[in-house]
Amino acid sequence: AAGSAEDGAGGVGGGGGSRNLRTRAEGERAVLGAFPGATIFRPAPMTGVEDRLLNQYAIMTKGLPFVPLVDGGDTKMQPVYVRDVAAAMMASLESLETRGNTYELGGPDVFTVKQLVSLVQDTIREPSNSVPVPAALMKAATMPREFLQKRVPFPIAATKEFTPDYIDSLEQDLVVSPGALGLQDLGVEPTKIDEGVAIEHVRHWRTGGYDFGSNVGI
């Protein structure tokens, strides 16, 4: 399967404690079983205009009394800018040497979840409202929805941060494995996600407007 590409296990390194990461790893193995020459990409959590990472932290900051940090928010992440992922995929299609390789795509910096939440709150000029919450307590809070979901024929809306599977995914760090092939092996220089154009989309969440903003509650 020359030149084919697959977005693989999002846990950067493959697999993990959550069902989402496990099924991605299973999908990756299935692709390689059918197409041994496929190029596999394992992106870290991606950031960009419509991302579900920094935008979600902004929504939670502005819409909830507090932002829960599972087990204190100590899980490490190595977010990657979505344009870098796209550039890496395009570069892989230009060389047969990428066939059969697995690339773990991460940004230049490693953050804890707590640091990412603080980055968003500082960027949108909102006071910190994050609170450490034990994973067991977070899972207990999801039980009523999970109970109902098993008994109704339609999906019950829920923010992913308040699902057992997401909580399970935070049991492991989402960072690039030592020695893994990455962006630079495809000629892509990793973009810092906390400055410049890469963080522009988060500024639109400022209560007082993009250019000025306000420190609500201070």
Side-chain angles (χ1 to χ4, degrees):
S4 66
E6 172 72 10
D7 178 358
V12 186
S18 76
R19 180 176 180 275
N20 179 44
L21 297 182
R22 288 196 305 272
T23 54
R24 289 191 182 192
E26 291 168 3
E28 180 180 305
R29 289 191 291 271
V31 168
L32 289 175
F35 307 102
T39 301
I40 300 294
F41 294 95
R42 295 173 176 170
M46 289 185 281
T47 68
V49 175
E50 296 184 0
D51 72 55
R52 297 183 182 181
L53 183 68
L54 304 185
N55 281 322
Q56 192 60 40
Y57 292 148
I59 292 171
M60 294 169 70
T61 295
K62 295 174 69 69
L64 298 177
F66 65 91
V67 177
L69 298 176
V70 178
D71 285 340
D74 291 331
T75 301
K76 294 182 177 64
M77 294 186 181
Q78 195 171 346
V80 60
Y81 189 40
V82 65
R83 290 189 177 182
D84 290 348
V85 174
M89 290 183 172
M90 291 298 295
S92 75
L93 298 176
E94 298 174 357
S95 173
L96 291 178
E97 294 181 2
T98 64
R99 290 183 60 190
N101 288 345
T102 295
Y103 295 89
E104 297 188 12
L105 309 182
D109 302 307
V110 175
F111 302 84
T112 63
V113 170
K114 182 177 181 179
Q115 289 172 330
L116 287 173
V117 171
S118 294
L119 168 65
V120 169
Q121 292 173 339
D122 289 344
T123 301
I124 65 176
R125 298 173 179 169
E126 294 282 344
S128 175
N129 66 343
S130 57
V131 176
V133 180
L137 183 58
M138 284 288 292
K139 286 186 178 181
T142 70
M143 290 177 66
R145 175 189 173 276
E146 294 300 307
F147 177 84
L148 289 175
Q149 184 62 82
K150 293 177 180 179
R151 288 160 176 77
V152 297
F154 52 85
I156 301 176
T159 302
K160 72 170 185 176
E161 282 75 12
F162 295 97
T163 62
D165 196 63
Y166 176 80
I167 298 168
D168 287 339
S169 74
L170 296 179
E171 293 178 355
Q172 71 176 74
D173 294 331
L174 305 181
V175 298
V176 173
S177 304
L181 295 174
L183 290 171
Q184 292 176 319
D185 295 289
L186 291 165
V188 179
E189 191 63 30
T191 301
K192 292 179 69 67
I193 62 99
D194 58 351
E195 62 183 35
V197 175
I199 197 71
E200 285 287 305
H201 64 289
V202 178
R203 296 191 178 102
H204 288 279
W205 290 101
R206 291 176 178 173
T207 298
Y210 175 89
D211 292 322
F212 301 101
S214 64
N215 295 100
V216 178
I218 295 180

